[in-house]
Amino acid sequence: MSFGLKNRLSKIIKPQTGKTVMLAVDHGYFQGPTTGLRDIKSAITPLIPYTDCLFITRGILRTCVDPSIDASICLRVSGGPSILGELSNEDITTSMEEALRLNASGVGMSIFVGAQNEDRTIANLGKLVNEAQRYGMPVLAITAVGKEMARDARYLGLACRIAAEMGADFVKTYYCDEFYKVVEGCPVPIVMAGGKKIPERDALQMTFNAIKEGASGVDMGRNIFQSDNPVGMINAIRAIVHDGATVDEAYDLYESSKSQPIEVG
Ligand code: 5RP
Protein backbone atom coordinates (compact mmCIF):
# COMPACT_ATOMS: atom_id res chain seq x y z
CA MET A 1 0.00 0.00 0.00
CA SER A 2 1.50 3.35 -1.03
CA PHE A 3 2.07 6.27 1.37
CA GLY A 4 -0.69 8.26 -0.37
CA LEU A 5 -3.24 5.48 -0.09
CA LYS A 6 -2.41 4.85 3.58
CA ASN A 7 -2.50 8.56 4.33
CA ARG A 8 -5.89 9.02 2.66
CA LEU A 9 -7.31 5.92 4.35
CA SER A 10 -6.17 7.29 7.74
CA LYS A 11 -8.44 10.31 7.13
CA ILE A 12 -11.38 7.88 6.90
CA ILE A 13 -10.57 5.05 9.35
CA LYS A 14 -9.07 6.91 12.28
CA PRO A 15 -5.73 5.45 13.43
CA GLN A 16 -6.46 6.34 17.09
CA THR A 17 -9.22 3.71 17.30
CA GLY A 18 -8.97 1.86 13.98
CA LYS A 19 -12.60 2.80 13.39
CA THR A 20 -14.76 5.29 11.53
CA VAL A 21 -18.07 7.11 11.74
CA MET A 22 -18.95 7.92 8.15
CA LEU A 23 -22.13 9.85 7.43
CA ALA A 24 -23.85 8.60 4.26
CA VAL A 25 -25.80 11.34 2.48
CA ASP A 26 -25.57 10.09 -1.09
CA HIS A 27 -29.12 8.68 -1.24
CA GLY A 28 -30.35 11.36 -3.65
CA TYR A 29 -28.15 9.99 -6.45
CA PHE A 30 -30.94 7.54 -7.26
CA GLN A 31 -33.77 8.43 -4.82
CA GLY A 32 -33.97 12.19 -5.33
CA PRO A 33 -34.94 14.30 -2.31
CA THR A 34 -35.06 11.55 0.33
CA THR A 35 -36.92 12.08 3.63
CA GLY A 36 -34.54 13.85 5.99
CA LEU A 37 -32.37 15.18 3.16
CA ARG A 38 -34.86 17.39 1.29
CA ASP A 39 -33.01 20.52 2.41
CA ILE A 40 -29.72 18.68 2.39
CA LYS A 41 -27.51 21.61 3.35
CA SER A 42 -29.53 22.36 6.50
CA ALA A 43 -29.71 18.65 7.34
CA ILE A 44 -26.01 17.85 7.08
CA THR A 45 -24.33 21.07 8.27
CA PRO A 46 -24.95 20.42 12.01
CA LEU A 47 -23.81 16.79 11.66
CA ILE A 48 -20.50 17.39 9.90
CA PRO A 49 -18.52 18.32 13.06
CA TYR A 50 -19.28 14.82 14.45
CA THR A 51 -18.43 12.97 11.25
CA ASP A 52 -15.06 11.40 10.42
CA CYS A 53 -15.92 11.16 6.74
CA LEU A 54 -18.81 12.29 4.55
CA PHE A 55 -20.02 9.84 1.91
CA ILE A 56 -21.44 12.13 -0.72
CA THR A 57 -21.81 12.87 -4.43
CA ARG A 58 -19.80 15.59 -6.14
CA GLY A 59 -22.90 17.68 -6.87
CA ILE A 60 -23.93 17.97 -3.22
CA LEU A 61 -20.32 18.41 -2.10
CA ARG A 62 -19.81 21.35 -4.45
CA THR A 63 -23.10 23.10 -3.68
CA CYS A 64 -23.89 22.34 -0.05
CA VAL A 65 -20.67 21.73 1.92
CA ASP A 66 -18.28 24.32 3.35
CA PRO A 67 -14.80 23.51 1.95
CA SER A 68 -13.16 24.32 5.31
CA ILE A 69 -14.69 21.33 7.15
CA ASP A 70 -12.41 18.95 9.06
CA ALA A 71 -14.27 15.79 8.00
CA SER A 72 -12.75 13.90 5.09
CA ILE A 73 -14.65 13.08 1.91
CA CYS A 74 -15.43 9.74 0.32
CA LEU A 75 -16.98 10.45 -3.04
CA ARG A 76 -19.70 8.30 -4.57
CA VAL A 77 -18.54 7.83 -8.14
CA SER A 78 -21.18 5.43 -9.50
CA GLY A 79 -24.71 6.07 -10.72
CA GLY A 80 -27.02 6.01 -13.71
CA PRO A 81 -30.47 4.61 -12.95
CA SER A 82 -33.07 6.28 -10.75
CA ILE A 83 -35.32 4.47 -8.30
CA LEU A 84 -37.75 4.06 -11.25
CA GLY A 85 -35.28 2.02 -13.30
CA GLU A 86 -33.09 -1.08 -13.00
CA LEU A 87 -30.81 -0.15 -10.09
CA SER A 88 -28.00 -2.49 -11.09
CA ASN A 89 -27.57 -0.62 -14.36
CA GLU A 90 -24.83 1.57 -12.84
CA ASP A 91 -21.63 2.87 -14.36
CA ILE A 92 -18.80 5.05 -13.14
CA THR A 93 -20.04 8.63 -13.34
CA THR A 94 -17.28 10.67 -11.69
CA SER A 95 -13.67 10.67 -12.83
CA MET A 96 -10.57 10.13 -10.72
CA GLU A 97 -9.41 13.59 -11.76
CA GLU A 98 -12.56 15.07 -10.24
CA ALA A 99 -12.06 13.06 -7.04
CA LEU A 100 -8.52 14.44 -6.76
CA ARG A 101 -9.68 18.00 -7.52
CA LEU A 102 -12.29 17.69 -4.75
CA ASN A 103 -9.57 16.44 -2.37
CA ALA A 104 -11.41 13.17 -1.75
CA SER A 105 -9.82 10.72 0.66
CA GLY A 106 -11.65 7.86 -1.00
CA VAL A 107 -14.07 6.92 -3.77
CA GLY A 108 -17.02 4.55 -3.51
CA MET A 109 -19.22 2.58 -5.88
CA SER A 110 -21.89 -0.12 -5.63
CA ILE A 111 -21.70 -3.68 -6.84
CA PHE A 112 -24.97 -5.56 -7.41
CA VAL A 113 -24.17 -9.21 -6.77
CA GLY A 114 -27.06 -11.42 -7.86
CA ALA A 115 -28.74 -8.67 -9.85
CA GLN A 116 -29.22 -8.22 -13.59
CA ASN A 117 -25.95 -6.37 -14.20
CA GLU A 118 -23.77 -7.95 -11.53
CA ASP A 119 -21.00 -8.76 -14.02
CA ARG A 120 -20.73 -5.18 -15.27
CA THR A 121 -20.74 -3.65 -11.79
CA ILE A 122 -18.09 -6.09 -10.53
CA ALA A 123 -15.94 -5.48 -13.62
CA ASN A 124 -16.38 -1.72 -13.09
CA LEU A 125 -15.10 -2.13 -9.54
CA GLY A 126 -11.97 -3.82 -10.90
CA LYS A 127 -11.47 -0.95 -13.36
CA LEU A 128 -12.01 1.68 -10.67
CA VAL A 129 -9.39 -0.03 -8.46
CA ASN A 130 -6.95 -0.12 -11.41
CA GLU A 131 -7.27 3.64 -11.81
CA ALA A 132 -7.42 4.48 -8.12
CA GLN A 133 -4.20 2.55 -7.47
CA ARG A 134 -2.32 4.88 -9.83
CA TYR A 135 -3.17 7.84 -7.58
CA GLY A 136 -3.13 6.20 -4.15
CA MET A 137 -6.91 6.61 -3.82
CA PRO A 138 -8.76 4.16 -1.51
CA VAL A 139 -11.81 2.44 -2.99
CA LEU A 140 -14.95 1.63 -1.01
CA ALA A 141 -17.15 -1.09 -2.52
CA ILE A 142 -20.80 -1.03 -1.50
CA THR A 143 -22.67 -4.32 -1.54
CA ALA A 144 -26.01 -3.05 -2.82
CA VAL A 145 -28.80 -5.55 -2.24
CA GLY A 146 -31.22 -6.36 -5.06
CA LYS A 147 -34.93 -6.49 -4.22
CA GLU A 148 -35.03 -10.30 -4.30
CA MET A 149 -31.80 -10.94 -2.39
CA ALA A 150 -31.82 -12.10 1.23
CA ARG A 151 -29.70 -9.96 3.51
CA ASP A 152 -28.05 -12.94 5.15
CA ALA A 153 -24.47 -13.84 5.99
CA ARG A 154 -24.18 -16.14 2.99
CA TYR A 155 -25.19 -13.52 0.44
CA LEU A 156 -23.49 -10.53 2.09
CA GLY A 157 -20.41 -12.68 2.69
CA LEU A 158 -20.31 -13.54 -1.00
CA ALA A 159 -20.65 -9.89 -2.05
CA CYS A 160 -18.05 -8.60 0.44
CA ARG A 161 -15.53 -11.26 -0.50
CA ILE A 162 -15.93 -10.53 -4.20
CA ALA A 163 -15.39 -6.82 -3.49
CA ALA A 164 -12.19 -7.58 -1.61
CA GLU A 165 -10.98 -9.94 -4.33
CA MET A 166 -11.51 -7.16 -6.90
CA GLY A 167 -9.15 -5.01 -4.81
CA ALA A 168 -11.50 -2.76 -2.81
CA ASP A 169 -9.67 -1.23 0.16
CA PHE A 170 -12.78 -1.34 2.35
CA VAL A 171 -16.34 -2.56 1.98
CA LYS A 172 -19.74 -1.31 3.09
CA THR A 173 -22.46 -3.82 3.81
CA TYR A 174 -25.57 -4.35 5.92
CA TYR A 175 -25.83 -5.98 9.32
CA CYS A 176 -27.21 -9.52 9.41
CA ASP A 177 -27.40 -12.51 11.76
CA GLU A 178 -23.94 -14.10 12.06
CA PHE A 179 -22.34 -10.89 10.81
CA TYR A 180 -19.01 -12.16 12.20
CA LYS A 181 -18.99 -14.71 9.36
CA VAL A 182 -19.14 -11.87 6.80
CA VAL A 183 -16.21 -10.18 8.59
CA GLU A 184 -14.23 -13.45 8.78
CA GLY A 185 -14.47 -14.00 5.03
CA CYS A 186 -13.46 -10.47 4.06
CA PRO A 187 -9.77 -9.52 4.41
CA VAL A 188 -10.38 -5.75 4.23
CA PRO A 189 -12.22 -3.51 6.75
CA ILE A 190 -16.01 -3.58 6.71
CA VAL A 191 -18.20 -0.59 7.57
CA MET A 192 -21.88 -1.13 8.30
CA ALA A 193 -24.66 0.70 6.46
CA GLY A 194 -27.65 1.43 8.66
CA GLY A 195 -30.43 0.52 6.23
CA LYS A 196 -34.03 1.64 6.70
CA LYS A 197 -34.92 3.80 9.70
CA ILE A 198 -35.56 1.74 12.82
CA PRO A 199 -36.09 2.88 16.44
CA GLU A 200 -33.00 4.64 17.81
CA ARG A 201 -32.25 2.06 20.49
CA ASP A 202 -32.41 -0.74 17.89
CA ALA A 203 -30.03 1.15 15.60
CA LEU A 204 -27.60 1.60 18.50
CA GLN A 205 -27.89 -2.10 19.38
CA MET A 206 -27.19 -3.03 15.75
CA THR A 207 -24.13 -0.76 15.74
CA PHE A 208 -22.90 -2.26 19.01
CA ASN A 209 -23.33 -5.80 17.64
CA ALA A 210 -21.56 -4.97 14.38
CA ILE A 211 -18.56 -3.46 16.20
CA LYS A 212 -18.41 -6.43 18.60
CA GLU A 213 -18.43 -8.78 15.60
CA GLY A 214 -15.54 -7.00 13.88
CA ALA A 215 -16.89 -4.05 11.88
CA SER A 216 -14.49 -1.14 11.48
CA GLY A 217 -17.27 1.39 11.94
CA VAL A 218 -20.34 2.62 10.17
CA ASP A 219 -21.30 4.48 7.02
CA MET A 220 -24.77 5.35 8.23
CA GLY A 221 -27.44 7.61 6.79
CA ARG A 222 -31.16 7.25 7.48
CA ASN A 223 -30.83 6.13 11.09
CA ILE A 224 -29.02 9.41 11.74
CA PHE A 225 -30.59 12.04 9.50
CA GLN A 226 -34.16 10.67 9.86
CA SER A 227 -33.89 10.57 13.67
CA ASP A 228 -35.83 13.11 15.74
CA ASN A 229 -32.43 14.09 17.21
CA PRO A 230 -29.80 13.63 14.47
CA VAL A 231 -26.92 15.26 16.38
CA GLY A 232 -27.70 13.22 19.50
CA MET A 233 -27.87 10.08 17.37
CA ILE A 234 -24.54 10.58 15.60
CA ASN A 235 -22.93 11.29 18.97
CA ALA A 236 -24.40 8.13 20.41
CA ILE A 237 -23.07 6.17 17.42
CA ARG A 238 -19.63 7.78 17.92
CA ALA A 239 -19.65 6.73 21.57
CA ILE A 240 -20.15 3.07 20.58
CA VAL A 241 -17.74 3.09 17.64
CA HIS A 242 -14.85 5.09 19.10
CA ASP A 243 -15.29 4.96 22.88
CA GLY A 244 -16.61 1.45 23.48
CA ALA A 245 -19.88 2.71 25.03
CA THR A 246 -22.62 0.23 25.89
CA VAL A 247 -26.03 0.51 24.23
CA ASP A 248 -27.50 1.96 27.47
CA GLU A 249 -24.75 4.59 27.71
CA ALA A 250 -25.17 5.54 24.06
CA TYR A 251 -28.96 5.71 24.35
CA ASP A 252 -28.63 7.98 27.41
CA LEU A 253 -26.43 10.29 25.33
CA TYR A 254 -29.04 10.39 22.58
CA GLU A 255 -31.88 11.03 25.06
CA SER A 256 -30.09 13.57 27.26
CA SER A 257 -28.96 15.67 24.30
CA LYS A 258 -32.62 16.37 23.48
CA SER A 259 -32.80 18.65 26.54
CA GLN A 260 -29.09 19.66 26.68
CA PRO A 261 -27.84 20.40 23.16
CA ILE A 262 -24.32 19.07 22.53
CA GLU A 263 -21.70 21.76 22.06
CA VAL A 264 -19.33 21.50 19.11
CA GLY A 265 -15.95 20.82 20.74
C1 5RP B 1 -27.07 3.91 -0.93
C2 5RP B 1 -25.87 3.90 -0.06
C3 5RP B 1 -25.98 4.53 1.28
O1 5RP B 1 -24.88 5.36 1.45
C4 5RP B 1 -26.01 3.45 2.33
O2 5RP B 1 -27.13 2.65 2.14
C5 5RP B 1 -25.93 3.99 3.75
O3 5RP B 1 -27.07 4.65 4.11
P1 5RP B 1 -28.18 4.02 5.08
O4 5RP B 1 -27.55 3.94 6.46
O5 5RP B 1 -29.31 5.00 5.02
O6 5RP B 1 -28.53 2.64 4.57
O7 5RP B 1 -24.84 3.42 -0.40
O8 5RP B 1 -26.85 3.11 -2.01
Side-chain angles (χ1 to χ4, degrees):
M1 209 187 269
S2 71
F3 176 89
L5 199 144
K6 278 189 196 160
N7 182 261
R8 285 195 176 95
L9 204 51
S10 76
K11 310 294 177 207
I12 302 174
I13 300 177
K14 306 306 272 187
Q16 295 86 342
T17 59
K19 304 232 164 28
T20 185
V21 175
M22 297 174 70
L23 177 66
V25 292
D26 61 317
H27 305 60
Y29 92 98
F30 72 103
Q31 290 183 359
T34 317
T35 304
L37 292 182
R38 282 181 182 278
D39 177 357
I40 188 164
K41 188 171 183 177
S42 304
I44 67 179
T45 301
L47 296 172
I48 290 175
Y50 308 101
T51 302
D52 296 321
C53 179
L54 260 184
F55 188 60
I56 194 164
T57 59
R58 67 169 156 192
I60 298 301
L61 185 63
R62 282 191 200 137
T63 54
C64 301
V65 178
D66 178 348
S68 67
I69 60 168
D70 289 331
S72 63
I73 301 300
C74 187
L75 205 62
R76 172 173 281 280
V77 297
S78 67
S82 80
I83 197 164
L84 306 176
E86 168 51 45
L87 290 182
S88 71
N89 204 11
E90 280 199 4
D91 271 309
I92 305 296
T93 52
T94 304
S95 67
M96 199 55 61
E97 187 187 357
E98 176 82 313
L100 292 164
R101 186 164 41 241
L102 292 168
N103 198 30
S105 296
V107 292
M109 64 164 287
S110 301
I111 59 170
F112 291 81
V113 176
Q116 196 175 304
N117 299 298
E118 71 161 19
D119 46 358
R120 198 169 92 228
T121 60
I122 294 170
N124 279 342
L125 173 60
K127 289 179 194 163
L128 184 68
V129 171
N130 290 342
E131 212 193 344
Q133 282 284 315
R134 291 170 60 197
Y135 301 99
M137 181 67 78
V139 173
L140 170 66
I142 298 142
T143 63
V145 181
K147 286 184 195 109
E148 306 82 34
M149 305 308 295
R151 290 188 186 192
D152 61 19
R154 193 155 164 243
Y155 169 71
L156 295 176
L158 170 75
C160 288
R161 179 56 174 266
I162 290 172
E165 300 262 355
M166 288 298 114
D169 299 287
F170 61 131
V171 176
K172 167 161 69 170
T173 197
Y174 294 92
Y175 186 73
C176 61
D177 287 344
E178 302 186 306
F179 184 75
Y180 67 92
K181 287 189 179 169
V182 180
V183 175
E184 256 172 28
C186 179
V188 296
I190 293 186
V191 292
M192 183 196 75
K196 282 190 182 143
K197 173 78 176 71
I198 53 177
E200 277 74 6
R201 181 179 265 282
D202 294 350
L204 295 173
Q205 183 71 58
M206 182 171 72
T207 303
F208 181 86
N209 294 348
I211 296 295
K212 199 172 74 181
E213 293 179 61
S216 297
V218 299
D219 184 11
M220 192 179 276
R222 288 162 287 180
N223 278 290
I224 295 172
F225 60 71
Q226 291 178 354
S227 169
D228 60 358
N229 177 13
V231 170
M233 194 57 187
I234 197 170
N235 256 292
I237 298 282
R238 283 195 77 80
I240 292 172
V241 170
H242 284 305
D243 306 330
T246 63
V247 175
D248 285 343
E249 287 165 346
Y251 191 70
D252 280 352
L253 262 181
Y254 155 75
E255 278 291 344
S256 60
S257 67
K258 286 182 183 170
S259 48
Q260 292 169 311
I262 296 162
E263 283 179 25
V264 180

